């Protein structure tokens, strides 16, 4: 880590706690690609990343999310009776614009959209044929109704409805990836396409912030909280019948810049939404020309194979997931892993604690996705169970990569409540440049995490202990009432901000 340069201090102020004046960014973990996927996939990922001048981490993250969304409700993992997990994975690529986040994600999303386009062209031809049949069917129904009315009036036997009056189910246009959609529209798509889909956003911050705004139907947040878990969900519509989705399963893939991520973390609601994301924040890729051609056809073949998975049906003919159970030794390994996670939880705070709490379920999802990757690579039959070998790979991926990556990405939200409030207050002071402020002024700003006096007092207490702010003695006004609570700001805060702005 870069050494922090000494900062001159005002003579009347003690040296402040340095942790509030810098961002402690954990190092990026190395991607253990060859340890968790077959060599053919590892080679493809590295070549695709090189072709896009992007870190392989982005390509790998996109691949996990896309594979999980394509499997969707066709296959769910079952570690033991009573516990099921859909394979949906939410992935956030983090980095500055120069990191080539979007090209890295597009290495996977691009072929997905090409396969979708080809499938839609096939269905379009079927849809045209169905529409012709439907027109004939409507005419036959109309003629049959008139004949039935006449027969009923005469007391004669009712005519039989011609078989051609039944055009069959309307073909459904496949939607493998959406860039944007209202909750109502997405629910309608999922009602017709029960296996699920993927939301692929170039920029996640606007989507995450936007769902917190209320419209006539309320916030979109409950919908998305359920979209990760595959539970049933009903979307009410004014003046129309509600849309019911039996298994609401949607993968999410997108990118976010570090400064926008910081804003999200500082203003995050503690409802577990952000903790559902797998954060991927690698070091920049070296600049060099590709050494080998990148075979996009390999991925398209794998996507075609995943699309061919058929959903199971229940005794009523309704679609439901097919279940992939864990082998006994895989279940035992998972149980041991859960105890390990419990020890990590005891050492975590805030969003990191939330993220760690989801790791047992994440390990189950990753196990199924990795098993499906093996199958799509053409080396194995479709997996009927998750073996301990596959689970160990998922466990290693979490412990060696995703947990350190979460510490790197969510460090700002992994602190205790006092430190989080203190850092929010510092952000306000740096933004305004105030050298003195009152608690009323802070409250009027209505910032997330500083909207109540309890939160403001927590932040002030933390910064007082850190020697960054200190109370100014005040007296009650002649009219009586409480004296104004004023605080001076350590001048070092302004100095450190100027150095940060200059890249120092």
């Amino acid at each position: 880590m870069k050494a922090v340069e000494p900062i001159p201090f005002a003579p009347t102020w003690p040296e402040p706690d340095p942790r509030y004046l810098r961002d402690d960014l954990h190092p990026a973990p190395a991607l253990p690609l060859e340890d968790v996927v077959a060599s053919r996939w590892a080679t493809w990922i590295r070549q695709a990343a090189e072709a896009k001048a992007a870190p392989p981490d982005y390509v790998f993250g996109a691949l996990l999310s896309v594979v999980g969304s394509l499997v969707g409700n066709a296959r769910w993992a079952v570690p033991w009776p009573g516990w099921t997990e859909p394979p949906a994975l939410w992935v956030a690529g983090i980095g500055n614009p120069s990191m080539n986040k979007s090209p890295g994600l597009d290495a996977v999303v691009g072929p997905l959209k090409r396969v979708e386009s080809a499938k839609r062209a096939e269905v379009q031809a079927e849809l045209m044929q169905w529409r012709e049949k439907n027109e004939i069917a409507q005419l036959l129904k109309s003629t049959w109704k008139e004949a039935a009315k006449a027969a009923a009036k005469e007391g004669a036997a009712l005519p039989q409805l011609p078989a051609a009056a039944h055009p069959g189910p309307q073909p459904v246009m496949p939607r493998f990836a959406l860039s944007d959609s209202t909750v109502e529209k997405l629910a309608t798509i999922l009602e017709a396409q029960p296996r699920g889909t993927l939301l692929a956003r170039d920029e996640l911050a606007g989507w995450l912030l936007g769902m917190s705004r209320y419209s006539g139907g309320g916030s979109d947040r409950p919908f998305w909280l359920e979209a990760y878990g595959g539970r049933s969900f009903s979307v009410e519509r004014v003046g129309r019948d509600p849309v019911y989705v039996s298994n609401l399963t949607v993968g999410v893939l997108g990118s976010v810049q570090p400064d926008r991520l910081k804003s999200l973390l500082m203003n995050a609601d503690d409802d577990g939404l952000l903790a559902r994301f797998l954060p991927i924040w690698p070091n920049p890729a070296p600049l060099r020309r590709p050494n080998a051609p990148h075979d996009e056809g390999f991925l398209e073949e794998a996507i075609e194979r995943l699309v061919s998975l058929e959903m199971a049906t229940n005794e009523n003919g309704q679609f439901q997931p097919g279940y992939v159970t864990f082998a006994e030794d895989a279940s035992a390994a998972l149980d041991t892993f859960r105890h390990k996670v419990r020890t990590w939880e005891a050492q975590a705070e805030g969003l990191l604690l939330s993220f760690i709490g989801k790791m047992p379920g994440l390990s189950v999802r990753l196990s199924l996705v990795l098993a499906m990757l093996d199958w799509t690579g053409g080396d194995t039959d479709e997996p009927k169970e998750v073996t301990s070998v596959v689970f160990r790979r998922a466990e290693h991926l979490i412990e060696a990569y995703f947990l350190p990556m979460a510490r790197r990405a969510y460090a700002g939200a992994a602190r205790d409540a006092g430190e989080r409030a203190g850092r929010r207050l510092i952000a306000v002071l740096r933004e305004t440049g105030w050298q003195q402020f009152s608690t009323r002024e802070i409250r009027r700003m209505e910032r997330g995490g500083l909207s109540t006096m309890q939160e403001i007092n927590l932040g002030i207490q933390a910064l007082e202990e850190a020697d960054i702010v200190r109370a100014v003695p005040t007296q009650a006004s002649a009219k009586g009432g409480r004296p104004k609570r004023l605080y001076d700001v350590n001048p070092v805060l302004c100095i450190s901000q100027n150095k940060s702005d200059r890249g120092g």
Side-chain angles (χ1 to χ4, degrees):
M1 184 178 293
K2 183 179 177 181
V4 178
E5 296 180 22
I7 299 174
F9 299 100
T12 57
W13 284 86
E15 181 177 347
D17 187 336
R19 65 186 164 144
Y20 285 96
L21 304 180
R22 64 169 183 258
D23 289 324
D24 295 320
L25 186 62
H26 291 256
L31 178 62
L33 202 51
E34 284 72 16
D35 297 336
V36 296
V37 298
S39 59
R40 191 177 181 189
W41 271 118
T43 299
W44 185 89
I45 290 167
R46 294 197 183 281
Q47 289 178 348
E50 200 171 66
K52 301 294 186 180
D57 310 57
Y58 293 146
V59 179
F60 178 62
L63 184 64
L64 292 178
S65 187
V66 165
V67 170
S69 71
L70 288 174
V71 176
N73 293 322
R75 301 291 182 271
W76 281 20
V78 183
W80 49 69
W83 184 3
T84 60
E85 289 282 348
L89 295 172
W90 291 12
V91 173
I94 305 165
N96 292 316
S98 60
M99 291 280 290
N100 279 352
K101 301 185 300 298
S102 295
L105 303 182
D106 283 344
V108 181
V109 176
L112 174 67
K113 289 184 175 179
R114 284 195 293 276
V115 173
E116 178 190 84
S117 180
K119 294 292 183 186
R120 288 176 69 84
E122 294 174 8
V123 173
Q124 183 63 43
E126 296 174 9
L127 188 59
M128 290 178 65
Q129 293 177 359
W130 179 87
R131 285 172 178 159
E132 291 176 359
K133 289 182 181 178
N134 188 51
E135 286 183 8
I136 295 172
Q138 298 308 314
L139 290 173
L140 290 173
K141 283 182 182 178
S142 179
T143 303
W144 174 82
K145 284 180 181 178
E146 293 299 323
K149 286 179 183 178
K153 187 174 182 180
E154 296 172 1
L158 294 178
Q160 194 170 24
L161 183 67
H166 301 285
Q170 180 176 345
V172 176
M173 278 290 181
R175 302 300 300 269
F176 300 155
L178 306 169
S179 58
D180 196 12
S181 178
T182 64
V183 162
E184 182 178 317
K185 178 63 176 176
L186 185 53
T188 303
I189 291 171
L190 294 175
E191 187 179 44
Q193 182 176 286
R195 71 185 297 150
T197 191
L198 174 74
L199 180 73
R201 299 270 308 202
D202 189 53
E203 179 56 57
L204 288 171
W207 172 70
L208 287 166
L209 291 171
M211 76 171 63
S212 297
R213 293 194 297 267
Y214 280 78
S215 61
S219 171
D220 293 345
R221 221 171 175 90
F223 176 90
W224 287 104
L225 287 169
E226 296 297 336
Y228 184 81
R231 299 176 184 87
S232 62
F233 198 88
S234 179
V235 177
E236 303 296 330
R237 302 186 298 176
V238 178
R240 287 178 287 175
D241 292 336
V243 179
Y244 181 77
V245 183
S246 298
N247 297 110
L248 181 58
T249 304
V250 184
V252 179
L253 174 65
S255 62
V256 63
Q257 295 183 29
D259 59 338
R260 298 302 301 278
L261 174 67
K262 187 183 296 185
S263 299
L264 289 170
L265 297 180
M266 296 295 278
N267 295 287
D269 290 331
D270 190 18
D271 59 3
L273 187 71
L274 272 179
R276 284 162 165 74
F277 279 93
L278 291 174
I280 296 182
W281 192 353
N283 293 321
L287 294 174
R288 64 186 179 204
R289 291 179 60 184
N291 293 322
H294 155 225
D295 181 12
E296 291 186 340
F298 173 62
L299 177 58
E300 291 181 13
E301 289 174 9
I303 292 170
E304 292 272 8
R305 202 167 196 186
L306 290 167
V307 171
S308 73
L309 287 171
E310 295 183 356
M311 291 187 67
T313 55
N314 60 20
E315 62 276 7
N316 299 319
Q318 297 170 323
F319 288 116
Q320 68 175 31
Y323 297 110
V324 181
T325 58
F326 270 44
E328 176 56 35
D329 54 353
S331 294
L334 170 60
D335 199 34
T336 301
F337 177 67
R338 291 166 73 218
H339 287 83
K340 189 186 296 185
V341 168
R342 186 63 57 84
T343 64
W344 295 340
E345 286 180 307
Q347 304 164 10
E349 296 279 352
L351 183 58
L352 183 60
L353 174 60
S354 242
F355 179 84
I356 291 174
K358 299 186 184 304
M359 281 185 174
L362 173 61
S363 70
V364 174
R365 294 173 184 234
L366 282 172
S367 295
L368 179 56
V369 170
L370 292 177
M372 286 296 179
L373 264 179
D374 289 344
W375 172 61
T376 58
D379 299 328
T380 63
D381 295 330
E382 183 192 333
K384 301 303 180 185
E385 68 174 11
V386 172
T387 66
S388 62
V389 172
V390 172
F391 176 78
R392 292 294 186 191
R393 285 156 51 196
E395 179 185 17
H396 176 62
L397 180 59
I398 290 173
E399 190 166 356
Y401 185 75
F402 282 122
L403 177 57
M405 196 61 86
R407 289 195 177 111
R408 173 176 168 86
Y410 297 149
R415 305 176 176 97
D416 62 37
E419 186 173 348
R420 291 201 303 274
R423 288 180 176 272
R424 290 186 178 110
L425 183 51
I426 281 181
V428 170
L429 297 177
R430 282 178 162 164
E431 177 185 325
T432 59
W434 287 338
Q435 296 179 357
Q436 189 179 86
F437 67 93
S438 71
T439 53
R440 291 177 189 171
E441 289 172 317
I442 298 298
R443 191 167 187 178
R444 286 194 196 109
M445 298 189 75
E446 296 183 343
R447 291 297 179 87
L450 292 174
S451 58
T452 68
M453 285 310 304
Q454 181 181 5
E455 293 168 332
I456 293 170
N457 288 336
L458 268 176
I460 288 174
Q461 181 182 347
L463 297 193
E464 282 183 316
E465 293 172 357
D467 292 314
I468 292 176
V469 304
R470 64 186 176 196
V472 177
T474 56
Q475 295 180 346
S477 67
K479 296 180 181 180
R482 290 184 182 180
K484 183 184 290 187
R485 290 174 59 192
L486 288 175
Y487 294 86
D488 281 336
V489 181
N490 191 328
V492 75
L493 192 65
C494 181
I495 296 171
S496 65
Q497 174 66 18
N498 290 337
K499 291 176 70 64
S500 176
D501 292 342
R502 293 195 303 268

